C-alpha cells in the first residue's frame, strides 16, 4: 500500500505538504496542490482513517440514531438511510447506525467515547427524551423532524403542513366536498411524532378555508380497521368519495376495501397516497402521490451537519428548514372539471 511518503516523493514535495493538502489546515499553492493530487491519483493512495482520526481528533463518522420499531414501515426509513450514507461519503464521512435501545444514554455514550463527530436523530417526538441531552452535547446534532420546542436545535423535515394542505386543495379542486384522511397506524400516532399533527393541521386549515369537510378516520395494518373506516367515509359522503392515505402501510388494504365496494380509483373515487414513483407506477391503477421528498431531506441533512463539522463549531446551534412537498398526479384521482 502506498504511503504519504511515497506521494511526497512522487510529487517532489515534503511529506508535511501532503498532509496539509489532505487536511486543508494550511494554504497550499494551486500548482503544488495539483501536483500532490496527481500523485495521489497515480498511486491510488488512501489515507489511513485511524491515523487521520488521531491526528485531527476527528473520526469523520456521523452517528445516525434510528428507532427500529416492528410496526414502522422500514422501507421508508431505509430510503433515508441509503441517501444519508451515500451523501455522507461524498463529504468524506461515514455513517454509524445507532439503534435507540439505550435512549438518551446512547447519545452520551457515542459522543463521550468519541465514536462519532456529530449525530443525526430521526423519528423525533413532540416531547423527545433525547432532546435535553442533545442540547448539551459538544458536537453538532441535527434532527430530521421537529419537536414541540425546537429552540437550541438544528431541525430539517418535509413541510408536512404544506403536504396536508396540498392534498385537500387538490381534491377540492376536483370537485370533492367531503375528504377522508386515513390516519397513520397507531404505532406511529402513539409515538407523538410531530409530522402527524402538522399534516393534519395543514389539511384542516385548507378545508376550513375552502369550505369542504375533512374527516379523520383510524388507520392500521389490519383489514377490519380500514374496512370500517371506508364504510364510515362512504356513509358521510353524498357525492364522489375521496381519500388521503399518507401512511404507506394502509394503501394496499384501502385499495382492496374500495374495490370490494365497487369503487375504482380515478373513476368513482379519488385516492392520494405516499409512495416512491416506482411503486406508485406499479399499482394496478397508478397512484397519485404527495411527494414528501425523503431523498432531498436526507441530502440537506447531511450537507447541514457536514457544514457544521467543517466549521468546527460547537453548539448550541439553532435552525429550522422545511423542504417543500409536491403532488404528482397519476390515474387514481379525478381531475378538475375542464375550465375549473
Amino acid at each position: 500500500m502506498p504511503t504519504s511518503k511515497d506521494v511526497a516523493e512522487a510529487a517532489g514535495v515534503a511529506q508535511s505538504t501532503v498532509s496539509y493538502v489532505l487536511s486543508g489546515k494550511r494554504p497550499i499553492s494551486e500548482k503544488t496542490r495539483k501536483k500532490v493530487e496527481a500523485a495521489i491519483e497515480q498511486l491510488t493512495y488512501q489515507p489511513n482513517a485511524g491515523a487521520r482520526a488521531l491526528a485531527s481528533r476527528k473520526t469523520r463518522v456521523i452517528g445516525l440514531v434510528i428507532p427500529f420499531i416492528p410496526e414502522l414501515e422500514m422501507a421508508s426509513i431505509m430510503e433515508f438511510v441509503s441517501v444519508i450514507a451515500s451523501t455522507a461519503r461524498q463529504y468524506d464521512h461515514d455513517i454509524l447506525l445507532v439503534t435507540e435501545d439505550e435512549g438518551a444514554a446512547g447519545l452520551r455514550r457515542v459522543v463521550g467515547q468519541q465514536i462519532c463527530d456529530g449525530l443525526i436523530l430521526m423519528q423525533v417526538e413532540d416531547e423527545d427524551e433525547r432532546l435535553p441531552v442533545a442540547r448539551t452535547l459538544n458536537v453538532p446534532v441535527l434532527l430530521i423532524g421537529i419537536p414541540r420546542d425546537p429552540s437550541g436545535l438544528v431541525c430539517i423535515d418535509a413541510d408536512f403542513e404544506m403536504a396536508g394542505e396540498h392534498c385537500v386543495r387538490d381534491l377540492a379542486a376536483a370537485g370533492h366536498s367531503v375528504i377522508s384522511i386515513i390516519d397513520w397506524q397507531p404505532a406511529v400516532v402513539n409515538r407523538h411524532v410531530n409530522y402527524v399533527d402538522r399534516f393534519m393541521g395543514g389539511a384542516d386549515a385548507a378545508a376550513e378555508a375552502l369550505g369542504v369537510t375533512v374527516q379523520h378516520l383510524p388507520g392500521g395494518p389490519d383489514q377490519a380497521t380500514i374496512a370500517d373506516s371506508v364504510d364510515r367515509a362512504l356513509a358521510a359522503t353524498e357525492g364522489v368519495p375521496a381519500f388521503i392515505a399518507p401512511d404507506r402501510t394502509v394503501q394496499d388494504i384501502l385499495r382492496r376495501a374500495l374495490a370490494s365496494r365497487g369503487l375504482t380509483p380515478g373513476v368513482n373515487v379519488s385516492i392520494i397516497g405516499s409512495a416512491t414513483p416506482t411503486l406508485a407506477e406499479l399499482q394496478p391503477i397508478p397512484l397519485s402521490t404527495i411527494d414528501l421528498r425523503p431523498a432531498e431531506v436526507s441530502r440537506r441533512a447531511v450537507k447541514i451537519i457536514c457544514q457544521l463539522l467543517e466549521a468546527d463549531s460547537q453548539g448550541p446551534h439553532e435552525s429550522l428548514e422545511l423542504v417543500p412537498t409536491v403532488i404528482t398526479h397519476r390515474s387514481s384521482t379525478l381531475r378538475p372539471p375542464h375550465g375549473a
Side-chain angles (χ1 to χ4, degrees), residues 162-224:
M162 175 189 286
E165 178 183 345
H166 278 174
C167 288
V168 170
R169 288 190 177 277
D170 192 80
L171 292 171
H176 299 285
S177 59
V178 178
I179 299 165
S180 302
I181 303 179
I182 306 295
D183 204 346
W184 276 267
Q185 58 179 304
V188 175
V189 175
N190 293 339
R191 282 180 60 83
H192 302 289
V193 284
N194 186 269
Y195 58 78
V196 173
D197 288 341
R198 285 187 284 133
F199 185 94
M200 298 303 185
D204 289 340
E208 183 177 358
L210 296 169
V212 299
T213 299
V214 162
Q215 53 181 349
H216 301 270
L217 299 169
D222 61 287
Q223 296 185 27

Side-chain angles (χ1 to χ4, degrees), residues 89 100 118 123 146 160 170 181 192 223 232 272 298 311 319:
R89 286 307 311 143
E100 208 179 52
Q123 287 290 312
I146 303 172
F160 279 84
D170 192 80
I181 303 179
H192 302 289
Q223 296 185 27
R232 288 169 59 184
I272 296 177
S298 300
S319 67

Side-chain angles (χ1 to χ4, degrees), residues 4 91 128 173 266:
S4 61
Y91 286 90
D128 200 304

Side-chain angles (χ1 to χ4, degrees), residues 300-312:
R300 287 291 302 148
V302 174
K303 182 176 181 179
I304 291 167
I305 198 167
C306 286
Q307 286 174 337
L308 293 172
L309 291 170
E310 291 304 315
D312 202 22

